[in-house]
Structure formats: structure tokens, C-alpha cells
Amino acid sequence: MIKNILQKLTARQDLTAEEAYSLIVAIKNDELSDVQIAGFQVALLMKGPTLTEITAIAQAMRDHCIKITPAVEEELMDTCGTGGGLSTFNISTAVAFVAAAGGIPVAKHGSRSISSLSGSADVLEALGVHINQSPKAVEKLIEDVGIAFLYAPLFHPVMGKVLPPEKDLGIKTIFYTIIGPLINPSKASRHVMGVYKPELLDTVAHVADSIGYTRALFVHGTDGLDEISLLGKTRVNELNNGIITSYEIAPEDFGLSRCSLEEIATGTPEANSVMIKDVFSGKDKGPRRQAVILNAAGALMIGDKAASMKEGIKLAGEIIDSGAAQVKLNQLIEASHEYKKIK
């Protein structure tokens, strides 16, 4: 099977949904060698993946991960982005705590960074969160604390097999930059997802709609940011129960000032953890706080806690100023160590 699929891909022929899905199952079942997996990744990257292929791969990855089903009434939210854009401090990770403090149950999916200094797993560890949790512990954290981190390698057997060749080859394939953020093991149906390439916005939105997302914002800063940008304009694809609406926003639309990349740039995980704590404590009132508030506004809006981005910005500021985001972070740090023994 794999040889036929590789032959099709190298001839720039598209795979059927069945072929793409079955390939993921074969990888899960250890039917492919590392060389064959790497060959598939490179061939698909060189051909360019189709919407059909991406949807089938995403569905297969969701069907064959280790699933969690926390007992919560509201739909779960994720803030995991694609990575690969201009490197900022961990804005989406900070947003997860603001959203959780606002009453939205958050299943924060993520991993270590390949393309920047600090991924979500890296900064959460630096903050003191124990990230290696069993599925039952993750469920309990979401139920009791309102937020948990789902460390991707622990929940995706297939991802653990496709990422090493990708890292060794030094390439970015759809597994890390597109598929990864879409395959939350909780099947979170609400999401604020930064996308690193503008041409992927429509693709990601349509795939998300096809695999069961209900409310989501897929965003790309026209300056190259894979967040809602404080540098300039942001292209947005908003998914609302099957309807996708595209529009642009800018910081000044909401009374915020633009900043430079240097003012919100990434550092080491340790440095970024200090940045997040300074925002939550009120010590940092500058662009980093504004970047968190702008992105948290989107999360609060699609989480039905705010009627608009403008209202979301006001609420996000209030959540941070009240200390609730810091409290939520502290709760997760403490509970993550307490629950790490749960099997």
C-alpha cells in the first residue's frame, strides 16, 4: 500500500480520503518503517496536501488518539495554534488561563516547540505545571480546576511516530503545523487558532467544520503573526455552527495601540514564564498585556462570555485585573502535582 501511495504522491497525484485515512491507521499499527514515514511526509509536502487529504488525516488522528471525556456541561475550548509564525512569547497559553478564569472549560493541547524557543509545554513547565498527566488526571483537572494541559505526545501514538522524522529532516509538515492543533483528544469544539500562513486559513476552517468544530476563530496577522496581531491587521475566519465568515480587524478598532515585534517577542521558557506572571500580576501593563487581552477577547467571544470582541477586551482586562487569571494558574500548578499520581 505505502509504495503505491508514495508513487502517487511523487507523481503529484492526490490521494483519496480512504487512502489518506488508511495510511494513518497503518502508521499507528507499525506497518511502516521510519524511512517510509519520512518519505510520505516529504512527498505530501512537495505535492501540496489537498483539503480531502488533510480532512481524512485529521479525522484518522482524532479517531486513533487516546481520548478524554471530562464531565463538564459546557463545550470545551482549546487555544493551541499552528506555530511557525513570527516568534512571540506564549500568548495563546496565557489566553487559556484568562478563558478558564472567565468560566470556560479549557483543554489546552500542545507540545514542545520545534520552530521557536518556547512551546506551550516548555513555558508551562517553567511556570511550575506538571505536564505529564494520565488521561484520568487530565479529566479530573478540567472538572475540578477548569483547565488542563494535554501534552500531545502522551495522547497521540501516531504523532509520536511522525514528528521525529520531521524534526530530523528539519521540515515543517502538516502534522505539526495544521493537523496537530486540530486533533485535541477531548474533541474540544471551540477554538482560537493562530495560523502561520494566510493561504491555510480557509483550509483549516473547512477541515475544522468537517470534523465537528462548532465555534472557532482562525486568525493570521498580515505581518506574519500566528495570533490576533497587535502589530497590525489580522485576517479572521470565524466559524459559527457551520457558517464561516471572513473579515479583518486591527488593534485600533478596539482602542488598542500597535506595537513592535520586539515588544512581544519570545524568550526562553523561563523568560516567557516571567512575562506571563508579570501580565497576570499587573506588573506589566504594556504591549504584552494588550496582546493577551486582544487574543483572550476572541476566546471569551466564541466561549459565549462576551457578545463581541470589544466586550471581550473589557472582560479580559477585568479578569486579569481581578487576579482571577493568576489564581487559575496557581490552581493548575498545585493540582497538576497533586493529580500526577492518578493513573
Side-chain angles (χ1 to χ4, degrees), residues 172-200:
K172 295 175 184 175
T173 73
I174 61 169
F175 286 95
Y176 190 82
T177 56
I178 302 177
I179 300 296
L182 288 170
I183 55 173
N184 191 306
S186 72
K187 292 194 174 181
S189 55
R190 301 189 289 192
H191 204 139
V192 178
M193 184 186 300
V195 178
Y196 80 112
K197 284 185 177 181
E199 59 267 28
L200 294 176

Side-chain angles (χ1 to χ4, degrees), residues 16-342:
T16 65
E18 292 75 16
E19 287 172 328
Y21 190 101
S22 65
L23 186 67
I24 298 304
V25 176
I27 293 173
K28 177 183 179 293
N29 294 335
D30 293 322
E31 296 172 11
L32 274 67
S33 69
D34 289 344
V35 172
Q36 289 174 319
I37 292 172
F40 160 66
Q41 290 174 284
V42 172
L44 184 63
L45 180 66
M46 296 300 291
K47 178 188 75 70
T50 65
L51 182 60
T52 296
E53 291 165 342
I54 296 171
T55 302
I57 290 170
Q59 189 61 62
M61 295 284 282
R62 280 165 65 94
D63 290 347
H64 292 88
C65 72
I66 298 170
K67 301 175 182 64
I68 65 159
T69 54
V72 293
E73 292 184 3
E74 290 193 50
E75 293 178 67
L76 295 167
M77 176 178 287
D78 193 2
T79 62
C80 176
T82 63
L86 297 177
S87 292
T88 67
F89 79 105
N90 300 93
I91 295 171
S92 62
T93 302
V95 166
F97 290 102
V98 179
I104 303 168
V106 176
K108 176 71 178 80
H109 191 215
S111 190
R112 300 193 186 278
S113 178
I114 289 179
S115 58
S116 71
L117 291 175
S118 178
S120 53
D122 305 305
V123 75
L124 285 169
E125 276 193 329
L127 284 163
V129 175
H130 183 78
I131 66 171
N132 295 296
Q133 302 283 356
S134 70
K136 286 186 178 179
V138 167
E139 290 175 344
K140 187 168 175 58
L141 284 166
I142 294 173
E143 291 165 0
D144 296 351
V145 182
I147 182 171
F149 181 65
L150 286 66
Y151 184 39
L154 300 180
F155 292 86
H156 295 287
V158 174
M159 195 65 84
K161 296 172 184 178
V162 298
L163 286 185
E166 179 174 317
K167 188 173 182 180
D168 289 344
L169 290 167
I171 59 175
K172 295 175 184 175
T173 73
I174 61 169
F175 286 95
Y176 190 82
T177 56
I178 302 177
I179 300 296
L182 288 170
I183 55 173
N184 191 306
S186 72
K187 292 194 174 181
S189 55
R190 301 189 289 192
H191 204 139
V192 178
M193 184 186 300
V195 178
Y196 80 112
K197 284 185 177 181
E199 59 267 28
L200 294 176
L201 274 174
D202 290 345
T203 298
V204 172
H206 285 291
V207 172
D209 181 38
S210 298
I211 62 177
Y213 278 64
T214 56
R215 291 291 309 277
L217 296 181
F218 305 98
V219 301
H220 173 79
T222 57
D223 38 60
L225 224 61
D226 57 330
E227 308 278 359
I228 302 177
S229 179
L230 197 64
L231 277 61
K233 293 182 178 180
T234 299
R235 286 185 55 193
V236 180
N237 274 9
E238 180 176 347
L239 172 64
N240 189 348
N241 294 304
I243 299 172
I244 299 171
T245 307
S246 300
Y247 52 90
E248 281 192 351
I249 57 176
E252 52 269 24
D253 296 341
F254 313 108
L256 302 178
S257 300
R258 297 189 184 194
C259 71
S260 67
L261 177 61
E262 290 71 27
E263 290 176 292
I264 57 171
T266 188
T268 63
E270 292 72 25
N272 288 4
S273 71
V274 172
M275 294 176 198
I276 291 173
K277 286 187 286 188
D278 284 351
V279 169
F280 286 173
S281 70
K283 182 178 179 180
D284 188 340
K285 298 282 191 180
R288 293 189 190 105
R289 168 190 162 91
Q290 300 308 311
V292 172
I293 284 176
L294 181 58
N295 282 270
L300 292 167
M301 183 177 73
I302 66 163
D304 295 323
K305 303 301 180 182
S308 64
M309 282 291 294
K310 185 175 181 180
E311 187 176 308
I313 285 171
K314 181 176 181 293
L315 178 57
E318 291 171 351
I319 289 170
I320 292 173
D321 291 342
S322 71
Q326 181 64 61
V327 168
K328 190 60 64 177
L329 170 58
N330 293 341
Q331 289 175 339
L332 179 61
I333 292 169
E334 181 178 351
S336 70
H337 289 275
E338 180 184 343
Y339 294 2
K340 66 183 180 182
K341 297 178 181 178
I342 298 175

